[in-house]
């Protein structure tokens, strides 16, 4: 009997020794779940690990089916170095090393144990960015690693649980008799951590730089060049831009960075596209003078150039309305105790609904900042495209209807005072056949910068379709004081308030103005009338009020 027991013990010892000698590495497959349910259609996560090095990757990466950019993580156990490998695009990879992060990990080790894939696992707890992370690891395989960088040095991590509801659990462990070729750090460009993060972030989307620190100012001899056209004494800049195909579900953003270059005042700004789909366009007015644009009249005796769509003309399609603060950057020398002025103002807005007008198109994009200053402003404009970020329904049809922002203000375009007449702004449009769920994107701001001007008065805006009011609201911003640090040249009053603090008609110095998305329902195909009605304040002396409104129709198939 003793001989038999000895023989069995020897056999087990030999088998164990053989396994240790032949198992150079292992491959662990992990599965994600949320609230106890397996996440469908996931890309399985793989861990390859040996005595010296581990690699976190995925099935699609191994099969060369992963979309760019993608990342893989290596951990060198001897040096305790985490190396991040990013494949930005075909033939372009970067590598970053961090020799400190692994050693800085702190855990609360517990006495709790449980079985995972028949291995006894111990539990460790840590906190990352206010998230409680449970790490279940085993030391029975003699190897280390895990599905993330957390706990890699504790042992082999077979499960991580975040906040008790999001899990990554090992489902299979495979012995590998040789160390796979992928379990080797590649020789690619090495960069510091900030550069790595920046290049990886930028590779995730398409960025179109339209303007870079361009001066928008008032001068008589504003010069255009081969790529940037200047109009209205330099207060309007325009560039032709080619957009790639924008896939369904993508998000599109426009952003502007602005500084004062001499102008101290809060000014209207607008980013716009110039539609070229009809016989005449706003570009004709920019090139040949405002009086070449079609005129809108409503009986009040004034002529408003280029503000509504006609059979032969499409008005500007506004991408973003913004307002400059009082003198940010240029007037930062106007010091006040405990106030540190901002260096610039950054405006960013989602314009995903305009995809049908941008996708795979070459269009004229412009920017306007109204001012009468030779130094004016400096501004940059970017448009970025992000795939697969937005689940909201996008329109399939866009029809610009009206835009009363007098972009050619410094070249004589009339201010939007048509609302002093009961008719206000009224026009007809055609709703196309085959579309439904129509919406109106409507942007409005009131102007008239004195006590009784509409800039500081609450005025109802009414939208009527075919004579029936479909939407009415009073546009008003009460948060203007939040942007005080962008307004160094804002005037101060005896009340203790600054001009930039005051509530305004849907705008603040240093902010964007959000459009209102108004449901119009299923408009019948054919002609409809739209009217915008606002009770415009009366002029006082040389001061008068105006309302800058723009709107476009959105339809779904």
């Amino acid at each position: 009997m003793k001989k038999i027991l000895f023989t069995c013990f020897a056999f087990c010892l030999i088998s164990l020794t053989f396994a240790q000698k032949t198992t150079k590495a292992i491959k662990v497959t992990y599965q994600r779940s949320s609230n106890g349910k397996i996440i469908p259609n996931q890309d399985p996560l793989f861990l390859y690990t040996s005595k010296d090095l581990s690699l976190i990757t995925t099935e699609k990466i191994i099969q060369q089916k992963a979309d760019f950019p993608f990342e893989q993580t290596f951990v060198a156990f001897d040096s305790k170095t985490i190396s991040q490998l990013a494949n930005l695009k075909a033939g372009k990879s970067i590598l970053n090393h961090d020799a400190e992060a692994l050693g800085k990990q702190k855990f609360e080790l517990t006495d709790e144990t449980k079985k995972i894939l028949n291995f006894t696992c111990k539990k460790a707890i840590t906190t990352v960015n206010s998230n409680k992370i449970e790490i279940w690891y085993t030391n029975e395989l003699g190897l280390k690693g895990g599905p993330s960088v957390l706990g890699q040095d504790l042992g082999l991590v077979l499960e991580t649980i975040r906040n008790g509801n999001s899990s990554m659990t090992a489902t299979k462990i495979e012995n590998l008799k040789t160390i796979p070729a992928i379990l080797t750090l590649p020789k690619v460009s090495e960069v510091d951590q900030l550069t790595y993060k920046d290049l990886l972030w930028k590779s995730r989307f398409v960025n179109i730089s339209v303007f870079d620190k361009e001066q928008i100012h008032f001068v008589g001899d504003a010069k255009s060049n081969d790529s940037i056209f200047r109009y209205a004494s330099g207060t309007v800049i325009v560039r032709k831009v080619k957009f790639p195909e924008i896939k369904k579900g993508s998000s599109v953003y426009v952003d502007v960075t602005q500084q004062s270059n001499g102008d101290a005042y809060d000014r209207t700004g607008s980013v716009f596209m110039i539609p070229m789909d009809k016989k005449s366009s706003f570009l004709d007015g920019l090139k040949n003078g405002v009086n070449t644009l079609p005129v809108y009249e409503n009986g009040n005796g004034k002529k408003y150039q280029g503000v509504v769509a006609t059979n032969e003309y499409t008005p500007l399609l506004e991408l973003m309305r913004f307002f400059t603060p009082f003198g940010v950057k240029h007037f930062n020398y106007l010091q006040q105790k405990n106030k540190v002025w901002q260096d610039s103002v950054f405006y960013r807005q989602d314009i995903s609904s305009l995809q049908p007008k941008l996708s795979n198109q070459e269009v004229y994009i412009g920017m306007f900042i109204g001012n009468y200053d030779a130094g004016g402003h400096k501004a940059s404009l970017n448009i970025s495209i992000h795939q697969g970020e937005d689940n909201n329904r996008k329109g399939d049809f866009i029809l610009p209807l009206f835009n009363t922002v007098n972009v050619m203000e410094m070249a004589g375009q009339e201010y939007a005072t048509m609302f002093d007449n009961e008719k206000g702004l009224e026009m007809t449009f055609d709703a196309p056949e085959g579309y439904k769920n129509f919406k109106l994107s409507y942007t409005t701001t009131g102007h008239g910068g004195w006590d009784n001007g509409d800039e500081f008065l609450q005025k109802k805006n009414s939208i009527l379709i075919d004579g029936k009011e479909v939407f009415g609201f009073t546009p008003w911003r009460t948060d203007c004081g939040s942007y005080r640090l962008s307004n160094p040249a804002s005037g101060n009053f005896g009340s203790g308030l600054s001009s930039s603090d005051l509530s305004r008609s849907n705008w603040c110095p240093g902010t964007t103005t959000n459009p209102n998305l108004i449901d119009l329902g299923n408009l019948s195909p054919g002609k409809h009338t739209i009217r915008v009605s606002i009770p415009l304040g009366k002029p006082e002396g040389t001061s008068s009020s105006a309302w800058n409104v723009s709107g476009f129709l959105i339809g779904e198939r």
Side-chain angles (χ1 to χ4, degrees):
M1 183 67 179
K2 288 181 179 180
K3 187 175 180 180
I4 295 172
L5 289 173
F6 176 79
T7 303
C8 290
F9 174 75
F11 177 78
C12 291
L13 184 62
I14 292 169
S15 299
L16 180 60
T17 303
F18 177 78
Q20 288 176 339
K21 286 182 178 179
T22 58
T23 303
K24 302 289 186 180
I26 60 172
K27 173 187 174 183
V28 186
T29 302
Y30 294 87
Q31 183 174 257
R32 302 173 184 85
S33 59
S34 179
N35 294 310
K37 295 182 179 179
I38 296 172
I39 297 174
N41 304 317
Q42 59 183 278
D43 181 15
L45 188 142
F46 294 156
L47 169 73
Y48 291 88
T49 187
S50 67
K51 180 178 177 297
D52 301 317
L53 193 68
S54 72
L55 165 64
I56 303 169
T57 186
T58 72
E59 183 176 76
K60 285 186 178 180
I61 293 174
I62 297 299
Q63 294 177 351
Q64 298 185 348
K65 294 180 180 179
D67 294 329
F68 291 106
F70 58 83
E71 284 187 282
Q72 299 177 91
T73 302
F74 293 86
V75 177
F77 298 113
D78 287 345
S79 62
K80 298 188 185 300
T81 298
I82 299 172
S83 300
Q84 294 289 130
L85 172 67
N87 292 71
L88 306 180
K89 58 183 180 181
K92 176 64 174 177
S93 301
I94 55 174
L95 190 65
N96 169 253
H97 303 293
D98 188 338
E100 298 180 356
L102 191 63
K104 290 181 178 178
Q105 294 180 10
K106 303 296 182 184
F107 299 96
E108 174 192 345
L109 303 179
T110 75
D111 295 327
E112 288 186 62
T113 62
K114 72 175 180 179
K115 290 278 190 179
I116 301 176
L117 296 179
N118 291 324
F119 294 100
T120 300
C121 295
K122 303 174 185 178
K123 179 181 176 182
I125 301 172
T126 190
T127 300
V128 178
N129 298 332
S130 301
N131 294 290
K132 179 183 177 182
I133 312 293
E134 299 174 31
I135 309 287
W136 290 92
Y137 65 97
T138 184
N139 300 118
E140 293 182 353
L141 284 88
L143 293 173
K144 296 179 180 180
S148 73
V149 296
L150 287 176
Q152 287 252 354
D153 209 32
L154 293 174
L156 185 65
V157 178
L158 296 184
E159 185 173 57
T160 62
I161 304 173
R162 179 170 58 85
N163 296 328
N165 54 32
S166 181
S167 302
M168 180 79 76
T169 307
T171 58
K172 183 167 61 172
I173 299 175
E174 302 171 64
N175 288 334
L176 306 176
K177 293 185 178 181
T178 59
I179 297 176
I182 58 171
L183 200 52
T184 306
L185 271 174
K187 294 181 179 180
V188 298
S189 298
E190 297 183 11
V191 296
D192 63 84
Q193 193 170 61
L194 283 179
T195 301
Y196 177 90
K197 290 179 179 179
D198 184 62
L199 291 174
L200 177 61
W201 172 68
K202 288 177 178 176
S203 71
R204 296 188 185 281
F205 59 92
V206 175
N207 185 71
I208 300 171
S209 177
V210 183
F211 302 118
D212 182 24
K213 297 180 181 177
E214 290 295 331
Q215 192 170 7
I216 301 178
H217 58 152
F218 184 76
V219 290
D221 59 345
K223 297 291 193 300
S224 300
N225 57 37
D226 291 340
S227 62
I228 297 175
F229 308 104
R230 300 180 185 277
Y231 301 107
S233 298
T235 60
V236 178
I237 56 176
V238 175
R239 183 182 176 190
K240 201 169 190 179
V241 177
K242 183 169 180 56
F243 286 86
E245 180 184 1
I246 303 174
K247 295 181 180 179
K248 282 285 187 181
S250 296
S251 297
V252 185
Y253 282 79
V254 59
D255 68 66
V256 169
T257 303
Q258 174 267 329
Q259 297 174 326
S260 168
N261 194 52
D263 187 19
Y265 284 95
D266 51 338
R267 304 292 192 179
T268 303
S270 181
V271 178
F272 55 85
M273 188 193 99
I274 304 176
M276 304 289 288
D277 57 336
K278 293 184 179 178
K279 182 178 179 181
S280 65
S281 73
F282 196 85
L283 189 62
D284 298 326
L286 290 170
K287 290 179 176 179
N288 305 317
V290 69
N291 291 325
T292 62
L293 294 172
V295 167
Y296 171 75
E297 297 180 86
N298 69 354
N300 71 353
K302 291 185 178 181
K303 296 182 178 181
Y304 302 94
Q305 310 99 328
V307 297
V308 300
T310 69
N311 290 334
E312 297 185 339
Y313 170 80
T314 302
L316 293 177
L317 178 59
E318 189 168 39
L319 308 186
M320 181 171 75
R321 182 90 51 88
F322 68 94
F323 291 86
T324 72
F326 288 96
V328 69
K329 177 68 173 181
H330 189 82
F331 292 90
N332 284 8
Y333 64 85
L334 299 173
Q335 295 183 344
Q336 290 191 19
K337 192 174 181 63
N338 297 325
K339 284 187 169 52
V340 180
W341 307 122
Q342 298 295 313
D343 181 72
S344 59
V345 175
F346 182 71
Y347 314 87
R348 183 170 169 85
Q349 200 163 64
D350 185 345
I351 58 166
S352 301
S353 61
L354 296 175
Q355 288 183 27
K357 285 292 186 182
L358 302 175
S359 180
N360 206 25
Q361 299 293 316
E362 190 170 23
V363 299
Y364 287 99
I365 300 293
M367 180 159 51
F368 157 73
I369 298 177
N371 71 98
Y372 289 96
D373 188 88
H377 304 258
K378 285 192 175 180
S380 299
L381 168 62
N382 296 281
I383 298 175
S384 58
I385 302 165
H386 309 257
Q387 285 194 27
E389 295 291 330
D390 191 352
N391 293 322
N392 290 309
R393 283 295 304 269
K394 303 294 190 301
D396 301 291
F397 169 79
I398 301 291
L399 178 64
L401 298 176
F402 53 84
N403 188 338
T404 70
V405 181
N406 52 336
V407 166
M408 293 181 67
E409 175 186 353
M410 285 69 193
Q413 187 178 11
E414 185 63 65
Y415 288 85
T417 60
M418 66 280 291
F419 303 103
D420 63 355
N421 183 294
E422 183 181 358
K423 188 176 181 181
L425 185 146
E426 186 175 275
M427 60 163 296
T428 60
F429 65 92
D430 284 304
E433 195 167 357
Y435 293 89
K436 60 183 180 180
N437 298 331
F438 285 96
K439 295 178 176 65
L440 174 70
S441 179
Y442 175 70
T443 304
T444 178
T445 52
H447 304 268
W450 80 103
D451 288 350
N452 293 318
D454 281 7
E455 180 175 323
F456 299 112
L457 298 177
Q458 299 178 11
K459 298 292 185 73
K460 181 183 178 183
N461 284 221
S462 300
I463 307 294
L464 296 91
I465 300 291
D466 300 329
K468 180 181 178 181
E469 182 174 314
V470 295
F471 186 74
F473 79 119
T474 301
W476 194 244
R477 288 285 292 266
T478 61
D479 60 332
C480 295
S482 303
Y483 310 98
R484 181 69 182 93
L485 295 181
S486 297
N487 288 273
S490 178
N492 297 303
F493 306 128
S495 63
L497 290 174
S498 178
S499 179
S500 64
D501 294 329
L502 301 180
S503 298
R504 287 173 167 82
S505 292
N506 216 30
W507 63 276
C508 300
T511 68
T512 62
T513 291
N514 293 326
N516 294 86
L517 205 56
I518 303 167
D519 283 312
L520 302 180
N522 295 327
L523 296 174
S524 59
K527 290 194 177 299
H528 297 271
T529 299
I530 184 169
R531 178 154 64 95
V532 181
S533 178
I534 306 168
L536 188 75
K538 299 289 185 182
E540 292 184 10
T542 58
S543 298
S544 61
S545 295
W547 281 82
N548 288 335
V549 300
S550 68
F552 57 88
L553 189 68
I554 305 171
E556 297 176 8
R557 285 196 185 278

